[in-house]
Structure formats: C-alpha cells, structure tokens
Amino acid sequence: MFDFSFSEIALFVVVAMVFIRPKDLPVAIRTLSNGLKAMRRMASEFQSHVDEMVREADLSEARDQFRDLKSFNLRDRVTKAIDGDNSIRRSLELDAPTKASAAALPKVPPAPPLPPPPSLTDLETVPYNARPQFEPAVDLPVQEEPDVNEDVAGAPSILPPSTARRLQHERSRWRAPDILPPVRAIHAGRRIPIASGKDGE
C-alpha cells in the first residue's frame, strides 16, 4: 500500500528520534503501527464490499474491461491500427535486402559541360551584372575610413554603440546600491566608513 524505500524509512526514523523523546518513542511506534493496521483493515473491507457489489450486480464484464484498461498499451494499439500487416515497418527497415538491384535503377544523365568564359571582346554583349569582376590593374591609394565608434572602443563588443555611449555618459551618476554596507577601513584602531569622493557620505 505504501511504497517506501529503505532510505525514506531511515529518514523517518531519524526525524522521529530527533523530535520524539526516547521514552515516548515506543508509544509513538505502537500508535503508528496500530494506525497502519486500521488503514489496511479499512482498505481490505472496502475491497471486499466492492467485490460483493460487483458480484451482486454481475459486473464481471466491467471488471475485465478495467483489467484490460490497466494493461492498455497505446503504442501497440496505434501501431496495429496504422500498420496492421507491418508493411510500413518492413519498407522502412534499413537492414532488409532490397529487391531492386542497382542495374534496375534509372540512369542519371551526365551534367552538361560548362560554357566557356566570355572573352574581353564579348564584354559589350554581356549584361553588366553578368560580367566577370576583374582586379584593378593600377594600385589605387586606399583611403581609411574614420572610425565612428572610437569613443566606445573600450566597451564590450556585445553592446551596441548607442548603448555603450549612454552607459559611459551615465557612469558619473552610478553609485552602489543602498542595501550594500559602506566600505570600512581601520584608522587609529577604529573602523571608519570610507566615503566616496562624490557623495561625501
């Protein structure tokens, strides 16, 4: 009726030894065992009354259905309803030998050859977006773009620049939460709170 493991029973015993005095422990155990016996007796009486009612009402069919319901396996029922002759399962098995051989499979035609690249004389006839991209023959001076995010270079890279700028602007107003105790130092044998330079606390 009560499905307790050994560790749970041991925990109950330890808790009982802590909260119940040693001289009251036998009385508590006796009371607990009498209570368990009474509960078992009530459960068996209830079961016998239910069995009597079933016999009187001749509900053996309902009892059989209830027993079948206890052993009901949804997976087998669904499999049986969908794939009664196991044809789907057999078609999905990887280890089963295939009936079709490699020769019976349709032949795939080879890929067509690639067209030759357009020559420089044909560039006028080729659309602009289909022309090949050539490297410039002349080395052009590379102009460095000014970095617009120089002011937030020290911020974590995960922060967007606008957020980093806002946090740098607000940094002067930051202070420790009020729930934290002030930092203290020992000066001349006494503990003195160190006030921050801005607050003057």
Side-chain angles (χ1 to χ4, degrees), residues 40-64:
R40 286 185 183 141
R41 193 177 321 113
M42 287 171 43
S44 63
E45 285 178 12
F46 178 75
Q47 183 66 37
S48 64
H49 287 305
V50 169
D51 288 343
E52 266 183 50
M53 288 172 48
V54 167
R55 268 187 251 113
E56 287 175 3
D58 194 29
L59 297 176
S60 60
E61 192 174 308
R63 187 186 305 161
D64 293 341

PDB file of all heavy atoms in Angstrom, residues 40-64:
ATOM      1  N   ARG A  40      -5.100  -0.595   6.767  1.00  0.00           N
ATOM      2  CA  ARG A  40      -5.112  -1.810   5.932  1.00  0.00           C
ATOM      3  C   ARG A  40      -6.428  -2.550   6.073  1.00  0.00           C
ATOM      4  O   ARG A  40      -6.971  -3.075   5.100  1.00  0.00           O
ATOM      5  CB  ARG A  40      -3.948  -2.715   6.317  1.00  0.00           C
ATOM      6  CG  ARG A  40      -2.626  -2.220   5.843  1.00  0.00           C
ATOM      7  CD  ARG A  40      -1.526  -3.199   6.149  1.00  0.00           C
ATOM      8  NE  ARG A  40      -0.240  -2.669   5.757  1.00  0.00           N
ATOM      9  CZ  ARG A  40       0.863  -2.828   6.447  1.00  0.00           C
ATOM     10  NH1 ARG A  40       0.838  -3.504   7.585  1.00  0.00           N
ATOM     11  NH2 ARG A  40       1.987  -2.317   6.018  1.00  0.00           N
ATOM     12  N   ARG A  41      -6.928  -2.618   7.319  1.00  0.00           N
ATOM     13  CA  ARG A  41      -8.197  -3.296   7.562  1.00  0.00           C
ATOM     14  C   ARG A  41      -9.325  -2.584   6.821  1.00  0.00           C
ATOM     15  O   ARG A  41     -10.158  -3.223   6.166  1.00  0.00           O
ATOM     16  CB  ARG A  41      -8.497  -3.328   9.067  1.00  0.00           C
ATOM     17  CG  ARG A  41      -9.612  -4.262   9.446  1.00  0.00           C
ATOM     18  CD  ARG A  41      -9.847  -4.331  10.957  1.00  0.00           C
ATOM     19  NE  ARG A  41      -8.630  -4.317  11.765  1.00  0.00           N
ATOM     20  CZ  ARG A  41      -8.283  -3.323  12.581  1.00  0.00           C
ATOM     21  NH1 ARG A  41      -9.064  -2.273  12.715  1.00  0.00           N
ATOM     22  NH2 ARG A  41      -7.169  -3.391  13.293  1.00  0.00           N
ATOM     23  N   MET A  42      -9.317  -1.240   6.870  1.00  0.00           N
ATOM     24  CA  MET A  42     -10.350  -0.484   6.159  1.00  0.00           C
ATOM     25  C   MET A  42     -10.237  -0.680   4.647  1.00  0.00           C
ATOM     26  O   MET A  42     -11.259  -0.821   3.955  1.00  0.00           O
ATOM     27  CB  MET A  42     -10.238   1.001   6.496  1.00  0.00           C
ATOM     28  CG  MET A  42     -10.707   1.338   7.897  1.00  0.00           C
ATOM     29  SD  MET A  42     -10.363   3.032   8.427  1.00  0.00           S
ATOM     30  CE  MET A  42     -10.762   3.992   7.029  1.00  0.00           C
ATOM     31  N   ALA A  43      -9.012  -0.725   4.123  1.00  0.00           N
ATOM     32  CA  ALA A  43      -8.827  -0.930   2.685  1.00  0.00           C
ATOM     33  C   ALA A  43      -9.309  -2.308   2.262  1.00  0.00           C
ATOM     34  O   ALA A  43      -9.961  -2.466   1.220  1.00  0.00           O
ATOM     35  CB  ALA A  43      -7.357  -0.744   2.314  1.00  0.00           C
ATOM     36  N   SER A  44      -9.010  -3.343   3.065  1.00  0.00           N
ATOM     37  CA  SER A  44      -9.468  -4.690   2.700  1.00  0.00           C
ATOM     38  C   SER A  44     -10.987  -4.791   2.799  1.00  0.00           C
ATOM     39  O   SER A  44     -11.623  -5.450   1.972  1.00  0.00           O
ATOM     40  CB  SER A  44      -8.792  -5.737   3.586  1.00  0.00           C
ATOM     41  OG  SER A  44      -9.167  -5.553   4.941  1.00  0.00           O
ATOM     42  N   GLU A  45     -11.595  -4.132   3.804  1.00  0.00           N
ATOM     43  CA  GLU A  45     -13.060  -4.134   3.909  1.00  0.00           C
ATOM     44  C   GLU A  45     -13.671  -3.428   2.708  1.00  0.00           C
ATOM     45  O   GLU A  45     -14.668  -3.907   2.138  1.00  0.00           O
ATOM     46  CB  GLU A  45     -13.503  -3.438   5.204  1.00  0.00           C
ATOM     47  CG  GLU A  45     -13.287  -4.253   6.458  1.00  0.00           C
ATOM     48  CD  GLU A  45     -13.703  -3.484   7.718  1.00  0.00           C
ATOM     49  OE1 GLU A  45     -14.366  -2.431   7.575  1.00  0.00           O
ATOM     50  OE2 GLU A  45     -13.349  -3.943   8.800  1.00  0.00           O
ATOM     51  N   PHE A  46     -13.089  -2.313   2.321  1.00  0.00           N
ATOM     52  CA  PHE A  46     -13.612  -1.591   1.157  1.00  0.00           C
ATOM     53  C   PHE A  46     -13.522  -2.452  -0.089  1.00  0.00           C
ATOM     54  O   PHE A  46     -14.467  -2.518  -0.878  1.00  0.00           O
ATOM     55  CB  PHE A  46     -12.826  -0.289   0.975  1.00  0.00           C
ATOM     56  CG  PHE A  46     -13.250   0.514  -0.219  1.00  0.00           C
ATOM     57  CD1 PHE A  46     -14.437   1.224  -0.199  1.00  0.00           C
ATOM     58  CD2 PHE A  46     -12.469   0.539  -1.366  1.00  0.00           C
ATOM     59  CE1 PHE A  46     -14.842   1.950  -1.291  1.00  0.00           C
ATOM     60  CE2 PHE A  46     -12.864   1.262  -2.464  1.00  0.00           C
ATOM     61  CZ  PHE A  46     -14.053   1.971  -2.430  1.00  0.00           C
ATOM     62  N   GLN A  47     -12.369  -3.139  -0.268  1.00  0.00           N
ATOM     63  CA  GLN A  47     -12.195  -4.008  -1.431  1.00  0.00           C
ATOM     64  C   GLN A  47     -13.211  -5.143  -1.418  1.00  0.00           C
ATOM     65  O   GLN A  47     -13.786  -5.490  -2.455  1.00  0.00           O
ATOM     66  CB  GLN A  47     -10.760  -4.569  -1.460  1.00  0.00           C
ATOM     67  CG  GLN A  47     -10.450  -5.424  -2.666  1.00  0.00           C
ATOM     68  CD  GLN A  47     -10.470  -4.629  -3.949  1.00  0.00           C
ATOM     69  OE1 GLN A  47     -10.051  -3.487  -3.957  1.00  0.00           O
ATOM     70  NE2 GLN A  47     -10.970  -5.210  -5.004  1.00  0.00           N
ATOM     71  N   SER A  48     -13.457  -5.721  -0.237  1.00  0.00           N
ATOM     72  CA  SER A  48     -14.434  -6.820  -0.157  1.00  0.00           C
ATOM     73  C   SER A  48     -15.840  -6.305  -0.467  1.00  0.00           C
ATOM     74  O   SER A  48     -16.619  -6.996  -1.141  1.00  0.00           O
ATOM     75  CB  SER A  48     -14.373  -7.481   1.216  1.00  0.00           C
ATOM     76  OG  SER A  48     -14.757  -6.570   2.225  1.00  0.00           O
ATOM     77  N   HIS A  49     -16.185  -5.095   0.001  1.00  0.00           N
ATOM     78  CA  HIS A  49     -17.501  -4.539  -0.310  1.00  0.00           C
ATOM     79  C   HIS A  49     -17.648  -4.272  -1.801  1.00  0.00           C
ATOM     80  O   HIS A  49     -18.716  -4.538  -2.376  1.00  0.00           O
ATOM     81  CB  HIS A  49     -17.748  -3.248   0.474  1.00  0.00           C
ATOM     82  CG  HIS A  49     -18.002  -3.459   1.936  1.00  0.00           C
ATOM     83  ND1 HIS A  49     -18.984  -4.296   2.412  1.00  0.00           N
ATOM     84  CD2 HIS A  49     -17.389  -2.939   3.036  1.00  0.00           C
ATOM     85  CE1 HIS A  49     -18.985  -4.282   3.729  1.00  0.00           C
ATOM     86  NE2 HIS A  49     -18.010  -3.465   4.143  1.00  0.00           N
ATOM     87  N   VAL A  50     -16.606  -3.761  -2.420  1.00  0.00           N
ATOM     88  CA  VAL A  50     -16.658  -3.520  -3.863  1.00  0.00           C
ATOM     89  C   VAL A  50     -16.811  -4.837  -4.610  1.00  0.00           C
ATOM     90  O   VAL A  50     -17.603  -4.943  -5.561  1.00  0.00           O
ATOM     91  CB  VAL A  50     -15.396  -2.748  -4.331  1.00  0.00           C
ATOM     92  CG1 VAL A  50     -15.295  -2.723  -5.842  1.00  0.00           C
ATOM     93  CG2 VAL A  50     -15.408  -1.333  -3.790  1.00  0.00           C
ATOM     94  N   ASP A  51     -16.079  -5.882  -4.182  1.00  0.00           N
ATOM     95  CA  ASP A  51     -16.206  -7.193  -4.829  1.00  0.00           C
ATOM     96  C   ASP A  51     -17.620  -7.744  -4.670  1.00  0.00           C
ATOM     97  O   ASP A  51     -18.174  -8.353  -5.591  1.00  0.00           O
ATOM     98  CB  ASP A  51     -15.182  -8.171  -4.250  1.00  0.00           C
ATOM     99  CG  ASP A  51     -13.766  -7.851  -4.711  1.00  0.00           C
ATOM    100  OD1 ASP A  51     -13.630  -7.108  -5.701  1.00  0.00           O
ATOM    101  OD2 ASP A  51     -12.804  -8.324  -4.079  1.00  0.00           O
ATOM    102  N   GLU A  52     -18.214  -7.560  -3.498  1.00  0.00           N
ATOM    103  CA  GLU A  52     -19.596  -8.008  -3.277  1.00  0.00           C
ATOM    104  C   GLU A  52     -20.559  -7.291  -4.202  1.00  0.00           C
ATOM    105  O   GLU A  52     -21.456  -7.905  -4.791  1.00  0.00           O
ATOM    106  CB  GLU A  52     -20.008  -7.745  -1.817  1.00  0.00           C
ATOM    107  CG  GLU A  52     -19.799  -8.907  -0.896  1.00  0.00           C
ATOM    108  CD  GLU A  52     -20.294  -8.579   0.504  1.00  0.00           C
ATOM    109  OE1 GLU A  52     -21.440  -8.096   0.625  1.00  0.00           O
ATOM    110  OE2 GLU A  52     -19.526  -8.793   1.429  1.00  0.00           O
ATOM    111  N   MET A  53     -20.372  -5.976  -4.318  1.00  0.00           N
ATOM    112  CA  MET A  53     -21.260  -5.210  -5.191  1.00  0.00           C
ATOM    113  C   MET A  53     -21.118  -5.656  -6.643  1.00  0.00           C
ATOM    114  O   MET A  53     -22.109  -5.761  -7.365  1.00  0.00           O
ATOM    115  CB  MET A  53     -20.942  -3.710  -5.080  1.00  0.00           C
ATOM    116  CG  MET A  53     -21.376  -3.090  -3.770  1.00  0.00           C
ATOM    117  SD  MET A  53     -20.807  -1.401  -3.528  1.00  0.00           S
ATOM    118  CE  MET A  53     -21.211  -0.616  -5.053  1.00  0.00           C
ATOM    119  N   VAL A  54     -19.885  -5.948  -7.059  1.00  0.00           N
ATOM    120  CA  VAL A  54     -19.667  -6.408  -8.431  1.00  0.00           C
ATOM    121  C   VAL A  54     -20.337  -7.756  -8.633  1.00  0.00           C
ATOM    122  O   VAL A  54     -20.970  -8.011  -9.667  1.00  0.00           O
ATOM    123  CB  VAL A  54     -18.151  -6.473  -8.733  1.00  0.00           C
ATOM    124  CG1 VAL A  54     -17.873  -7.225 -10.012  1.00  0.00           C
ATOM    125  CG2 VAL A  54     -17.580  -5.069  -8.815  1.00  0.00           C
ATOM    126  N   ARG A  55     -20.206  -8.652  -7.652  1.00  0.00           N
ATOM    127  CA  ARG A  55     -20.843  -9.960  -7.765  1.00  0.00           C
ATOM    128  C   ARG A  55     -22.356  -9.817  -7.808  1.00  0.00           C
ATOM    129  O   ARG A  55     -23.031 -10.504  -8.572  1.00  0.00           O
ATOM    130  CB  ARG A  55     -20.425 -10.849  -6.594  1.00  0.00           C
ATOM    131  CG  ARG A  55     -19.211 -11.683  -6.929  1.00  0.00           C
ATOM    132  CD  ARG A  55     -18.891 -12.687  -5.843  1.00  0.00           C
ATOM    133  NE  ARG A  55     -17.664 -12.250  -5.176  1.00  0.00           N
ATOM    134  CZ  ARG A  55     -17.579 -11.834  -3.938  1.00  0.00           C
ATOM    135  NH1 ARG A  55     -18.636 -11.838  -3.157  1.00  0.00           N
ATOM    136  NH2 ARG A  55     -16.436 -11.438  -3.438  1.00  0.00           N
ATOM    137  N   GLU A  56     -22.882  -8.947  -6.961  1.00  0.00           N
ATOM    138  CA  GLU A  56     -24.334  -8.775  -6.924  1.00  0.00           C
ATOM    139  C   GLU A  56     -24.844  -8.189  -8.228  1.00  0.00           C
ATOM    140  O   GLU A  56     -25.912  -8.562  -8.719  1.00  0.00           O
ATOM    141  CB  GLU A  56     -24.726  -7.873  -5.760  1.00  0.00           C
ATOM    142  CG  GLU A  56     -24.592  -8.522  -4.403  1.00  0.00           C
ATOM    143  CD  GLU A  56     -24.887  -7.543  -3.277  1.00  0.00           C
ATOM    144  OE1 GLU A  56     -25.243  -6.383  -3.572  1.00  0.00           O
ATOM    145  OE2 GLU A  56     -24.736  -7.952  -2.118  1.00  0.00           O
ATOM    146  N   ALA A  57     -24.135  -7.237  -8.764  1.00  0.00           N
ATOM    147  CA  ALA A  57     -24.594  -6.590  -9.987  1.00  0.00           C
ATOM    148  C   ALA A  57     -24.172  -7.347 -11.234  1.00  0.00           C
ATOM    149  O   ALA A  57     -24.516  -6.956 -12.343  1.00  0.00           O
ATOM    150  CB  ALA A  57     -24.064  -5.168 -10.041  1.00  0.00           C
ATOM    151  N   ASP A  58     -23.405  -8.429 -11.036  1.00  0.00           N
ATOM    152  CA  ASP A  58     -22.910  -9.252 -12.134  1.00  0.00           C
ATOM    153  C   ASP A  58     -22.150  -8.394 -13.140  1.00  0.00           C
ATOM    154  O   ASP A  58     -22.466  -8.350 -14.330  1.00  0.00           O
ATOM    155  CB  ASP A  58     -24.051 -10.004 -12.816  1.00  0.00           C
ATOM    156  CG  ASP A  58     -23.543 -11.105 -13.723  1.00  0.00           C
ATOM    157  OD1 ASP A  58     -22.449 -11.654 -13.435  1.00  0.00           O
ATOM    158  OD2 ASP A  58     -24.211 -11.398 -14.721  1.00  0.00           O
ATOM    159  N   LEU A  59     -21.188  -7.674 -12.595  1.00  0.00           N
ATOM    160  CA  LEU A  59     -20.387  -6.775 -13.416  1.00  0.00           C
ATOM    161  C   LEU A  59     -19.007  -7.356 -13.710  1.00  0.00           C
ATOM    162  O   LEU A  59     -18.015  -6.662 -13.705  1.00  0.00           O
ATOM    163  CB  LEU A  59     -20.243  -5.420 -12.712  1.00  0.00           C
ATOM    164  CG  LEU A  59     -21.535  -4.652 -12.486  1.00  0.00           C
ATOM    165  CD1 LEU A  59     -21.244  -3.402 -11.701  1.00  0.00           C
ATOM    166  CD2 LEU A  59     -22.197  -4.312 -13.794  1.00  0.00           C
ATOM    167  N   SER A  60     -18.978  -8.640 -13.949  1.00  0.00           N
ATOM    168  CA  SER A  60     -17.681  -9.254 -14.242  1.00  0.00           C
ATOM    169  C   SER A  60     -17.107  -8.707 -15.547  1.00  0.00           C
ATOM    170  O   SER A  60     -15.896  -8.606 -15.718  1.00  0.00           O
ATOM    171  CB  SER A  60     -17.818 -10.770 -14.312  1.00  0.00           C
ATOM    172  OG  SER A  60     -18.737 -11.121 -15.328  1.00  0.00           O
ATOM    173  N   GLU A  61     -18.009  -8.347 -16.461  1.00  0.00           N
ATOM    174  CA  GLU A  61     -17.555  -7.775 -17.726  1.00  0.00           C
ATOM    175  C   GLU A  61     -16.852  -6.428 -17.489  1.00  0.00           C
ATOM    176  O   GLU A  61     -15.818  -6.140 -18.087  1.00  0.00           O
ATOM    177  CB  GLU A  61     -18.764  -7.586 -18.640  1.00  0.00           C
ATOM    178  CG  GLU A  61     -18.407  -7.269 -20.065  1.00  0.00           C
ATOM    179  CD  GLU A  61     -19.651  -7.250 -20.933  1.00  0.00           C
ATOM    180  OE1 GLU A  61     -20.414  -8.220 -20.900  1.00  0.00           O
ATOM    181  OE2 GLU A  61     -19.823  -6.240 -21.620  1.00  0.00           O
ATOM    182  N   ALA A  62     -17.398  -5.620 -16.588  1.00  0.00           N
ATOM    183  CA  ALA A  62     -16.773  -4.342 -16.268  1.00  0.00           C
ATOM    184  C   ALA A  62     -15.419  -4.554 -15.603  1.00  0.00           C
ATOM    185  O   ALA A  62     -14.468  -3.817 -15.848  1.00  0.00           O
ATOM    186  CB  ALA A  62     -17.679  -3.531 -15.354  1.00  0.00           C
ATOM    187  N   ARG A  63     -15.328  -5.592 -14.765  1.00  0.00           N
ATOM    188  CA  ARG A  63     -14.047  -5.896 -14.118  1.00  0.00           C
ATOM    189  C   ARG A  63     -13.012  -6.301 -15.157  1.00  0.00           C
ATOM    190  O   ARG A  63     -11.845  -5.903 -15.066  1.00  0.00           O
ATOM    191  CB  ARG A  63     -14.244  -7.025 -13.099  1.00  0.00           C
ATOM    192  CG  ARG A  63     -12.996  -7.267 -12.273  1.00  0.00           C
ATOM    193  CD  ARG A  63     -13.109  -8.471 -11.364  1.00  0.00           C
ATOM    194  NE  ARG A  63     -14.273  -8.371 -10.501  1.00  0.00           N
ATOM    195  CZ  ARG A  63     -14.822  -9.406  -9.879  1.00  0.00           C
ATOM    196  NH1 ARG A  63     -14.322 -10.603 -10.025  1.00  0.00           N
ATOM    197  NH2 ARG A  63     -15.870  -9.247  -9.094  1.00  0.00           N
ATOM    198  N   ASP A  64     -13.431  -7.095 -16.145  1.00  0.00           N
ATOM    199  CA  ASP A  64     -12.495  -7.485 -17.206  1.00  0.00           C
ATOM    200  C   ASP A  64     -12.037  -6.274 -18.017  1.00  0.00           C
ATOM    201  O   ASP A  64     -10.864  -6.156 -18.371  1.00  0.00           O
ATOM    202  CB  ASP A  64     -13.149  -8.511 -18.136  1.00  0.00           C
ATOM    203  CG  ASP A  64     -13.400  -9.834 -17.435  1.00  0.00           C
ATOM    204  OD1 ASP A  64     -12.755 -10.078 -16.385  1.00  0.00           O
ATOM    205  OD2 ASP A  64     -14.251 -10.609 -17.930  1.00  0.00           O
TER     206      ASP A  64
END
